[in-house]
Protein backbone atom coordinates (compact mmCIF):
# COMPACT_ATOMS: atom_id res chain seq x y z
CA UNK A 1 0.00 0.00 0.00
CA UNK A 2 2.80 2.37 0.81
CA UNK A 3 4.40 1.74 -2.56
CA UNK A 4 1.06 2.32 -4.28
CA UNK A 5 0.47 5.60 -2.44
CA UNK A 6 4.00 6.82 -3.11
CA UNK A 7 3.86 5.94 -6.81
CA UNK A 8 0.41 7.48 -7.19
CA UNK A 9 1.30 10.74 -5.43
CA UNK A 10 4.41 11.16 -7.56
CA UNK A 11 2.47 10.49 -10.74
CA UNK A 12 -0.61 12.57 -9.93
CA UNK A 13 1.59 15.56 -9.11
CA UNK A 14 2.77 15.54 -12.73
CA UNK A 15 -0.64 16.92 -13.67
CA UNK A 16 0.61 20.21 -12.19
CA UNK A 17 3.45 20.25 -14.72
CA UNK A 18 1.09 19.37 -17.56
CA UNK A 19 -1.21 22.24 -16.55
CA UNK A 20 1.69 24.67 -16.40
CA UNK A 21 3.16 23.46 -19.66
CA UNK A 22 -0.09 23.50 -21.62
CA UNK A 23 -1.17 26.94 -20.44
CA UNK A 24 2.17 28.65 -19.90
CA UNK A 25 1.23 29.56 -16.34
CA UNK A 26 3.77 29.56 -13.56
CA UNK A 27 4.03 26.38 -11.54
CA UNK A 28 2.65 28.06 -8.39
CA UNK A 29 -0.47 29.08 -10.30
CA UNK A 30 -0.79 25.54 -11.67
CA UNK A 31 -0.58 24.19 -8.11
CA UNK A 32 -3.47 26.46 -7.07
CA UNK A 33 -5.56 25.26 -10.03
CA UNK A 34 -4.63 21.62 -9.33
CA UNK A 35 -5.60 21.89 -5.65
CA UNK A 36 -8.83 23.70 -6.48
CA UNK A 37 -10.15 20.66 -8.34
CA UNK A 38 -11.19 18.07 -5.78
CA UNK A 39 -10.86 14.81 -7.68
CA UNK A 40 -8.32 12.99 -9.78
CA UNK A 41 -10.94 12.50 -12.47
CA UNK A 42 -11.60 16.24 -12.58
CA UNK A 43 -7.88 17.00 -12.79
CA UNK A 44 -7.37 14.53 -15.62
CA UNK A 45 -10.40 15.88 -17.49
CA UNK A 46 -9.09 19.43 -17.08
CA UNK A 47 -5.73 18.46 -18.62
CA UNK A 48 -7.53 16.66 -21.48
CA UNK A 49 -9.82 19.62 -22.16
CA UNK A 50 -6.96 22.09 -22.08
CA UNK A 51 -5.04 19.87 -24.46
CA UNK A 52 -8.00 19.72 -26.85
CA UNK A 53 -8.40 23.48 -26.61
CA UNK A 54 -4.77 24.52 -26.91
CA UNK A 55 -3.08 21.85 -29.03
CA UNK A 56 -3.63 21.26 -32.71
CA UNK A 57 -5.00 17.84 -33.65
CA UNK A 58 -2.00 15.64 -34.26
CA UNK A 59 0.68 13.56 -32.58
CA UNK A 60 1.22 15.84 -29.58
CA UNK A 61 -2.46 15.92 -28.65
CA UNK A 62 -2.81 12.19 -29.28
CA UNK A 63 0.15 11.44 -27.03
CA UNK A 64 -1.33 13.61 -24.28
CA UNK A 65 -4.70 11.84 -24.58
CA UNK A 66 -3.00 8.44 -24.53
CA UNK A 67 -1.21 9.43 -21.32
CA UNK A 68 -4.43 10.65 -19.66
CA UNK A 69 -6.27 7.48 -20.72
CA UNK A 70 -3.60 5.36 -19.04
CA UNK A 71 -3.79 7.69 -16.05
CA UNK A 72 -7.55 7.14 -15.72
CA UNK A 73 -7.21 3.35 -15.90
CA UNK A 74 -4.56 3.33 -13.19
CA UNK A 75 -6.69 5.66 -11.09
CA UNK A 76 -9.24 2.87 -10.79
CA UNK A 77 -6.56 0.58 -9.34
CA UNK A 78 -5.50 3.15 -6.79
CA UNK A 79 -9.10 3.90 -5.92
CA UNK A 80 -9.88 0.22 -5.40
CA UNK A 81 -7.05 -0.40 -2.98
CA UNK A 82 -7.07 2.96 -1.16
CA UNK A 83 -10.78 2.72 -0.42
CA UNK A 84 -10.61 -0.74 1.08
CA UNK A 85 -10.00 -2.17 4.48
CA UNK A 86 -7.19 -4.68 4.37
CA UNK A 87 -7.70 -7.92 6.26
CA UNK A 88 -4.67 -10.06 7.17
CA UNK A 89 -5.47 -13.58 8.34
CA UNK A 90 -3.42 -15.86 10.59
CA UNK A 91 -2.97 -18.29 7.70
CA UNK A 92 -1.17 -15.54 5.75
CA UNK A 93 -4.03 -14.77 3.39
CA UNK A 94 -4.91 -11.18 2.57
CA UNK A 95 -8.31 -9.80 1.62
CA UNK A 96 -9.67 -6.37 0.89
CA UNK A 97 -13.13 -5.14 1.78
CA UNK A 98 -14.22 -2.30 -0.47
CA UNK A 99 -15.63 0.60 1.53
CA UNK A 100 -18.09 1.78 -1.06
CA UNK A 101 -21.85 1.62 -1.43
CA UNK A 102 -23.15 0.42 -4.77
CA UNK A 103 -26.67 1.85 -5.03
CA UNK A 104 -28.82 -0.34 -7.28
CA UNK A 105 -32.42 0.09 -8.37
CA UNK A 106 -33.98 -1.85 -5.47
CA UNK A 107 -31.04 -2.60 -3.15
CA UNK A 108 -27.60 -1.55 -2.09
CA UNK A 109 -24.39 -3.55 -2.04
CA UNK A 110 -21.45 -2.81 0.17
CA UNK A 111 -18.40 -4.43 1.64
CA UNK A 112 -17.37 -6.33 -1.49
CA UNK A 113 -14.62 -8.68 -0.38
CA UNK A 114 -11.73 -9.78 -2.58
CA UNK A 115 -9.12 -12.37 -1.69
CA UNK A 116 -5.68 -11.22 -2.77
CA UNK A 117 -4.09 -14.43 -3.95
CA UNK A 118 -0.70 -14.68 -5.64
CA UNK A 119 -2.22 -13.78 -9.03
CA UNK A 120 -3.89 -10.65 -7.64
CA UNK A 121 -0.71 -9.55 -5.89
CA UNK A 122 1.27 -10.14 -9.09
CA UNK A 123 -1.28 -8.03 -10.98
CA UNK A 124 -0.87 -5.26 -8.39
CA UNK A 125 2.90 -5.39 -8.95
CA UNK A 126 2.29 -5.08 -12.71
CA UNK A 127 -0.01 -2.12 -12.14
CA UNK A 128 2.65 -0.45 -10.00
CA UNK A 129 5.21 -0.97 -12.77
CA UNK A 130 2.72 0.51 -15.26
CA UNK A 131 2.34 3.51 -12.95
CA UNK A 132 6.13 3.98 -12.83
CA UNK A 133 6.27 3.71 -16.61
CA UNK A 134 3.47 6.28 -16.95
CA UNK A 135 5.41 8.59 -14.66
CA UNK A 136 8.52 8.28 -16.84
CA UNK A 137 6.45 8.76 -20.02
CA UNK A 138 4.87 11.97 -18.69
CA UNK A 139 8.30 13.33 -17.76
CA UNK A 140 9.49 12.53 -21.28
CA UNK A 141 6.42 14.23 -22.79
CA UNK A 142 7.14 17.34 -20.72
CA UNK A 143 10.81 17.35 -21.68
CA UNK A 144 10.16 16.75 -25.40
CA UNK A 145 7.82 19.75 -25.56
CA UNK A 146 10.03 22.05 -23.54
CA UNK A 147 7.42 22.42 -20.81
CA UNK A 148 8.97 23.94 -17.72
CA UNK A 149 9.27 21.39 -14.94
CA UNK A 150 11.01 23.44 -12.29
Amino acid sequence: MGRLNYAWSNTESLLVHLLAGLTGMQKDAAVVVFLSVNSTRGRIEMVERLGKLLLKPGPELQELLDLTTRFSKLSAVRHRYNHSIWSFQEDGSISTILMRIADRRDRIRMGQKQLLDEDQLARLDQDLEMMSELNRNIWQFLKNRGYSVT
Side-chain angles (χ1 to χ4, degrees), residues 19 22 30 62 66 75 117 127 134-135 141 147:
L19 287 169
L22 285 167
Q62 191 55 56
D66 290 345
S75 177
D117 59 16
D127 290 335
L134 174 62
N135 187 298
F141 178 88
Y147 291 175

Side-chain angles (χ1 to χ4, degrees), residues 14-142:
L14 293 179
L15 292 172
V16 170
H17 297 291
L18 288 170
L19 287 169
L22 285 167
T23 63
M25 71 174 88
Q26 294 181 357
K27 190 173 93 174
D28 287 348
V31 168
V32 169
V33 171
F34 174 88
L35 294 174
S36 296
V37 178
N38 292 330
S39 70
T40 300
R41 179 178 299 179
R43 293 168 178 158
I44 292 170
E45 286 176 357
M46 181 172 43
V47 167
E48 288 175 337
R49 290 172 181 164
L50 286 168
K52 291 173 185 176
L53 177 68
L54 301 170
L55 300 176
K56 295 176 185 172
E60 184 176 3
L61 175 58
Q62 191 55 56
E63 184 178 0
L64 177 66
L65 295 176
D66 290 345
L67 291 170
T68 57
T69 297
R70 290 168 52 202
F71 214 118
S72 292
K73 288 178 182 174
L74 288 169
S75 177
V77 172
R78 186 217 41 110
H79 192 75
R80 165 80 177 116
Y81 290 110
N82 269 2
H83 295 276
S84 290
I85 293 174
W86 288 66
S87 175
F88 300 90
Q89 304 304 314
E90 288 182 20
D91 66 2
S93 64
I94 304 170
S95 297
T96 59
I97 304 166
L98 187 59
M99 301 308 327
R100 181 181 208 179
I101 295 175
D103 201 349
R104 303 292 184 237
R105 177 175 287 179
D106 60 352
R107 62 188 165 87
I108 61 170
R109 286 183 26 195
M110 58 187 165
Q112 178 184 3
K113 190 172 184 176
Q114 177 184 5
L115 178 65
L116 294 181
D117 59 16
E118 291 299 319
D119 290 339
Q120 290 292 330
L121 291 171
R123 178 65 189 158
L124 181 55
D125 281 338
Q126 288 175 338
D127 290 335
L128 285 165
E129 182 52 43
M130 289 170 51
M131 199 173 296
S132 295
E133 182 180 347
L134 174 62
N135 187 298
R136 291 187 300 272
N137 294 154
I138 293 172
W139 277 117
Q140 192 63 49
F141 178 88
L142 293 163

